[in-house]
Amino acid sequence: MKRLAILTSGGDCSGMNACIRSAVRTALRMNIEMIGFRKGYLGLMKGDFITLDTKAVSGILHHGGTFLQSARSPEFRTPEGQKVALDRLHEAGAEGLVVLGGDGSLSGALALHRLGFPVVGIPASIDNDIPFTDMALGVDTALNNIIYAVDCIKDTASSHARAFVIEVMGRNSGYLASIAAIATGAEYALVPEREFDLADICQQLRGRYEEGRDNAIIILAEGAGQAHQIADSIKDAIGFETRVTVLGHYQRGGAPTVFDRLLASRFGKKAVELLDDGTCGVMTGLSCNNIVATPLEEVIKGEKRPQDDLLRLAEVLGI
Ligand code: ADP
Ligand code: F6P
């Protein structure tokens, strides 16, 4: 194997740079050249790539985001777009491709694999909604960002006797909301995976208020409802003020945590080794602290289930 390519696609996350660096350094040690396509599948279809040598990936490990940039490309979803991408890969002399991204990007990787091109996917999305890996890249950093923000908001919530609805990202997944609620001692986590009764929650908040507990933190997964609507319902039903904070894209950036730096480095190395070994059409994953490979076919048709012990923990802690 002489030359491999790498790209970052979909929503960016912290740890992508550390992962690119690891893949490049691993490849160079194996005398494999590395190129990086800019802006995900969009750049791939344009043949927009740079050579990645040691210098290109130095000083990037601790930065959030992705220096190769990311994008969403509807055109790549079409057979025509994928054919163009394939042509560009061949023109660039790439013999394999490493794709970092979420479930959409990994579906794209599977499409290229089905067309016969050697691809390895790396799960990278703060949503942690990708099966066959305990954690995706960027999740730990996003959670640390969230708990920092929630801790800050708790201070002002208690000073002003207010209830806060704090909306976190996650698309259709409640993972970030659930874990953040456990880690911050929030009163409620409202997630798409579990039905909730707003009237019941309001009644409980009212009861707490009458017992003298005059502030509350409700962490809302973005896929579970409208933050302002929920806050308005609560305001009408309880005796104290409500406020809404939408954490938004703040969650996705910042220096990666040690966990994400290590995971990124392990995923990057593994992806290159797999391709060099002739194993393709797979995704790297973390399972019981081991780095494993699962066929993309399985990943894409699989479903990430919330961990039972975490759900029980949330229940025991009254969330
Ligand atoms: P993420 O990878 O973070 O889940 P998206 O769902 O937006 O983000 O996907 C990123 C890109 O991956 C899309 O813009 C598109 O180019 C490609 N993609 C998504 N779904 C598919 C699919 N089913 N088939 C082929 N390519 C896809
Ligand atoms: O998939 C990652 C994610 O951050 C989701 O949690 C969120 O819904 C979405 O991307 C936001 O996308 P954009 O950055 O395009 O606004």
Side-chain angles (χ1 to χ4, degrees):
M1 187 152 282
K2 286 200 174 68
R3 181 177 261 209
L4 291 178
I6 190 165
L7 62 80
T8 50
S9 165
D12 69 339
C13 66
S14 290
M16 281 182 158
N17 282 326
C19 191
I20 298 166
R21 171 183 178 272
S22 167
V24 169
R25 291 178 78 112
T26 303
L28 294 179
R29 272 184 87 98
M30 297 162 98
N31 291 318
I32 300 170
E33 285 174 11
M34 226 25 207
I35 58 170
F37 283 94
R38 292 195 189 92
K39 299 189 179 165
Y41 296 123
L42 194 68
L44 175 56
M45 286 185 302
K46 289 181 181 160
D48 178 9
F49 71 86
I50 53 171
T51 301
L52 298 174
D53 55 14
T54 315
K55 193 157 171 275
V57 294
S58 73
I60 62 168
L61 178 141
H62 59 299
H63 290 303
T66 160
F67 88 107
L68 284 177
Q69 296 190 288
S70 189
R72 304 195 201 265
S73 160
E75 200 191 331
F76 178 75
R77 284 168 164 268
T78 65
E80 296 75 24
Q82 288 160 19
K83 167 81 176 56
V84 171
L86 205 60
D87 290 347
R88 296 291 172 267
L89 280 163
H90 289 306
E91 280 163 24
E95 293 166 69
L97 174 69
V98 179
V99 172
L100 279 79
D103 51 358
S105 305
L106 295 170
S107 300
L110 176 59
L112 289 173
H113 168 69
R114 283 180 178 154
L115 291 172
F117 197 81
V119 185
V120 170
I122 294 181
S125 164
I126 66 165
D127 302 342
N128 212 27
D129 57 352
I130 302 164
F132 299 101
T133 186
D134 296 341
M135 293 284 270
L137 203 56
V139 177
D140 188 64
T141 305
L143 279 171
N144 278 280
N145 289 342
I146 293 169
I147 64 161
Y148 177 78
V150 175
D151 287 348
C152 292
I153 292 168
K154 273 183 93 151
D155 291 343
T156 175
S158 64
S159 304
H160 284 266
R162 285 170 173 162
F164 271 81
V165 176
I166 303 175
E167 186 192 290
V168 299
M169 280 186 168
R171 216 175 259 184
N172 300 317
S173 159
Y175 184 86
L176 292 176
S178 303
I179 303 301
I182 293 172
T184 59
E187 275 64 37
Y188 296 99
L190 308 183
V191 296
E193 296 88 348
R194 200 175 50 178
E195 274 185 32
F196 56 88
D197 181 351
L198 203 49
D200 196 33
I201 290 172
C202 289
Q203 204 183 353
Q204 289 174 30
L205 283 170
R206 180 83 205 166
R208 283 169 45 92
Y209 178 60
E210 282 159 7
E211 284 167 10
R213 287 184 287 173
D214 60 4
N215 62 81
I217 298 290
I218 297 129
I219 303 193
L220 169 72
E222 64 178 346
Q226 297 291 326
H228 284 279
Q229 266 176 21
I230 290 172
D232 287 347
S233 310
I234 293 174
K235 193 177 86 196
D236 294 342
I238 61 171
F240 48 103
E241 282 185 292
T242 58
R243 291 285 187 274
V244 170
T245 304
V246 177
L247 295 183
H249 290 81
Y250 153 81
Q251 295 162 85
R252 281 215 318 234
T257 56
V258 174
F259 181 91
D260 273 329
R261 294 178 195 205
L262 189 59
L263 188 64
S265 302
R266 295 177 82 191
F267 277 170
K269 174 173 175 284
K270 182 76 174 182
V272 169
E273 287 171 352
L274 285 165
L275 281 169
D276 185 56
D277 198 36
T279 309
C280 52
V282 295
M283 180 193 81
T284 63
L286 180 71
S287 173
C288 303
N289 210 23
N290 293 311
I291 303 298
V292 295
T294 306
L296 282 164
E297 297 278 2
E298 299 288 313
V299 173
I300 296 308
K301 68 171 189 246
E303 193 194 339
K304 178 100 176 166
R305 299 194 53 77
Q307 259 177 265
D308 287 346
D309 63 323
L310 289 177
L311 292 179
R312 272 197 299 278
L313 177 62
E315 215 174 285
V316 168
L317 297 178
I319 294 161

